[in-house]
Amino acid sequence: MRAIAIAVITKDSANGISFRGNTPWPLLRQSADLIEKHTKDQVVIMGRKTWDSIPRKQKQLAGRTTYIISRKLTTLELVREYGPGVLAFSSITDA
């Protein structure tokens, strides 16, 4: 079986990905639907700051395994708080 990687990358016109701790654009429902469609039953990889920006009740992404790239968080901490399906890695290479 061949692995397929889909990257969803968002940025503003100056190649910025955040402004004062938030995304510099509103997340449109259409974008959210597209991201959900393409990540269902897949692994979602994000940085710790992105993970921290997600509201607590939305952190458990249904039907997805979530990899958090972090030097601070551990898988044990994440599993204790959110259950299985959320894992921490210290680098993208480790993930």
Side-chain angles (χ1 to χ4, degrees):
M1 183 155 97
R2 197 173 104 204
I4 298 173
I6 297 172
V8 178
I9 301 168
T10 55
K11 63 181 185 73
D12 67 11
S13 60
N15 292 325
I17 60 170
S18 70
F19 181 73
R20 295 183 181 159
N22 294 303
T23 56
W25 58 89
L27 180 62
L28 303 174
R29 184 71 233 163
Q30 181 180 354
S31 298
D33 291 343
L34 182 68
I35 291 167
E36 183 176 346
K37 174 185 172 189
H38 287 291
T39 62
K40 195 73 169 170
D41 300 319
Q42 302 297 321
V43 172
V44 175
I45 301 173
M46 66 182 77
R48 182 198 45 86
K49 289 184 179 183
T50 300
W51 172 255
D52 288 347
S53 73
I54 299 171
R56 181 160 178 47
K57 63 182 178 182
Q58 295 174 338
K59 285 187 191 273
Q60 202 72 18
L61 301 173
R64 295 158 190 82
T65 300
T66 305
Y67 289 3
I68 310 300
I69 308 303
S70 173
R71 290 183 297 266
K72 294 182 177 185
L73 297 174
T74 66
T75 294
L76 183 58
E77 291 172 314
L78 292 168
V79 168
R80 282 182 179 160
E81 191 164 348
Y82 301 102
V86 182
L87 306 163
F89 296 90
S90 60
S91 72
I92 192 75
T93 305
D94 292 342

